[in-house]
Amino acid sequence: MGAYHFNWFLAWQSFPRFYWGLALGLELAALSLLIGSVIGMAGAFGRSFGPTWLRLAVMSYVEFIRNVPLLLLIYFAFYGLPKIGITMFDNVWSFVVALSVYSGAYLTEVFRAGVNSVPVGYTEAAKAVGLMPWQRVRLIILPVTFRIILPSLSNTFISLFKDTALASAVAVPELTYAAEWLNVNTFRTIEAWTFAAVMYLFAGYGIAFILRRIERRYAVIR
Amino acid sequence: MLHDMSFALPQLLRGLGVTLEIGAIVVTAGSLAGFVVGLSLLYGGFAVRLAARLYVDTIRGLPVLVLIFVIYFALPAFGLRFSAFQAGITALSIFATAHIAEIVRGGIDSIPRAQMDAAKAVGLTFWQRLHLVILPQAVRRMVPSWVNVAVEIVKGSALLSLLGIIDLLLAMQNVVGVTFSPLPFYGLTAFLYFAVNFTISRIGGLMERRFAYLKY
Amino acid sequence: MAPILKISDLHKHFGPLEVLRGISLDVDPGQVVALVGASGSGKTTLLRCVNALEDYHKGSISLGDEQIGYQELNGRRVRLPESRVARQRADLGMVFQSYNLFPHMTVLDNVALGLVYVQKKSRAEAERIALSWIERVGLAEKVKSYPFQLSGGQQQRVAIARAVAMQPKVMLFDEVTSALDPELIGEVLAVMQNLARGGQTMLVVSHEMMFVREVAHRVVFMDGGVIVEQGPPEEVLVRPRTERLQTFLTRFRGVLR
């Protein structure tokens, strides 16, 4: 192999592929964060207030998922589920399922820690004002929990965004897949991976910057 | 089914061996290098600190998979030749180093500055202060996060299957590809990963108790 | 005149520890009753029982002619459903030692919350009432501030406004100045004194003996879960009859002479 010849122009031509790959990655991460949060809230609730069997079930789910590679879950959702008769998910949706189940385990812990860290005084003050139980949850406990866990949520989002790179393993056309495509089809290897790496870094730190601003806006407990 | 198992089990166990090997090498290399980079983050001169910070933040901002592909595909274009195994180990070690460096920095940073001052007042040299006063306290703080990184490494080693390294995950895929009832093999593989990581967590728990004399 | 708040033979224990051993206490409308005693004497627990924040094992507490937190059902004492208790709490205002302002709401929203969601007033009406109370505790320029932007004394004044805005039949004050820096105590006590002058019925747990002596109509001294002595402040605080109260008062000697 001779010296490598850069051809940035060729790489630049496929910029849209990278751009839309990045956008898809962000969408996948956001969707998984959303579904994972629903799982996480339910999990935290079941873990804290459920009967013994439910607590055990939630604990097993969390421990199991956190100790198993995400790629295994992705393969299972894509190749395994159809084998047991669940054929409704294409590669994109099977990835969303896997990432949601994965993030749900982490978010269960996030929500549990959040609810536990709401000072008991707020609940008592809410009682003293005369709020009904569901009003206390809706007006006080949930908003305060949300503000407490906001930093954890944004960290989770950023790491989910990085995890979307694994979707390329089941041919989801996100950013990593775009780099692989460029690599395989044009042999612009260095350009392809430089592109992808730089975009991941910019997107990741850009989002982090924005989320930190939002956190500061909502950080009312000091 | 039984026939499947007797055919599959040796393959899975061989894969598990490779996964464990990768994990052991990467955790060791990452811990050693991470310790050095972590100290550079804290005590290096301006240029060293900046370089270390740049390294840590860049690596931590990238998906591991991208890092693996960069090392595997892009570096050979510069004439550097790696085997898939070498490339994979290198990429994961670079990843582990960045994360452990941050843990070392955080752990040492969490020790009250007064401890360092007191150690200075006693007349200890820098390395004595570090090794006699700061590290014994900081190490306990580092254990939980260090365990997390070790678990992430074992999980991350599954990505090397994409380079064709026959680790536990690729061994599973090979097995799954030739059986009619793949489900038990997903389960068994997941269980093996779980067992490895659960063991790591338990060892971490024991280490934490070993250092439990530090109360704050 | 019939008492507005009637506590009879209240008993409560935490495990083997008896914290309330038969407390009976009536509060008339417009009266300010101060509960004093060493920490661990059961004052705070009593106050929390009145607002149904604690369960108790025997006895009863009534506001007007309605029992708080429980009902008699076939001769047995049964805890009321939370929604009923919530409605009863709307008639009782409570201020806590640690302020407990809702951290994600502005001063205005904190005070308006109960008016909107418990008393079902319109947002405009609620804000008008809230604003007038915020003005009366001297914080008109802070309506749009969040709790973390206020000093402890200011937070506590907002907490008082939040409770009082609901026009409760009885206000409960649980050591509301204990967490404050000394220089901030005065502004909070001044607000409470104004309320008392306005005829608000108040049950106050406090260690501020000067305040108690000036404002309270009746002082109740508790020790070991029982009421040891009670009466007008000028008697109880100045000429204590029991040795236990004498011992307790020695620590305030400088303040009370």
Side-chain angles (χ1 to χ4, degrees), chain A residues 36-209:
Chain A
S37 295
V38 174
I39 298 175
M41 267 186 262
F45 192 78
R47 174 86 165 73
S48 301
F49 307 111
T52 312
W53 66 266
L54 187 57
R55 285 172 204 230
L56 283 175
V58 173
M59 276 164 73
S60 319
Y61 159 67
V62 169
E63 280 307 309
F64 184 75
I65 295 295
R66 293 210 300 181
N67 285 312
V68 166
L70 175 56
L71 195 52
L72 176 67
L73 299 178
I74 294 170
Y75 285 156
F76 179 73
F78 184 61
Y79 299 110
L81 286 184
K83 294 255 169 76
I84 54 172
I86 301 172
T87 52
M88 57 180 150
F89 301 121
D90 62 1
N91 59 342
V92 173
W93 280 102
S94 71
F95 176 77
V96 170
V97 168
L99 195 57
S100 301
V101 168
Y102 184 74
S103 66
Y106 289 87
L107 289 165
T108 296
E109 290 301 280
V110 167
F111 278 97
R112 197 166 71 90
V115 171
N116 287 345
S117 61
V118 174
V120 68
Y122 297 147
T123 313
E124 290 192 343
K127 284 182 183 176
V129 168
L131 295 181
M132 297 284 176
W134 63 272
Q135 287 178 319
R136 300 201 288 259
V137 171
R138 183 169 69 87
L139 297 170
I140 309 298
I141 297 177
L142 281 184
V144 173
T145 304
F146 172 71
R147 281 161 173 80
I148 291 175
I149 67 172
L150 201 56
S152 306
L153 284 184
S154 39
N155 288 342
T156 305
F157 177 70
I158 289 167
S159 75
L160 287 179
F161 167 60
K162 286 189 278 177
D163 287 336
T164 58
L166 271 62
S168 62
V170 287
V172 173
E174 47 66 66
L175 185 47
T176 303
Y177 193 74
E180 283 175 43
W181 183 92
L182 189 65
N183 184 18
V184 169
N185 287 285
T186 68
F187 303 105
R188 303 325 320 151
T189 309
I190 296 180
E191 293 90 330
W193 292 108
T194 310
F195 253 36
V198 168
M199 286 177 82
Y200 272 114
L201 285 175
F202 265 90
Y205 283 107
I207 296 164
F209 177 77

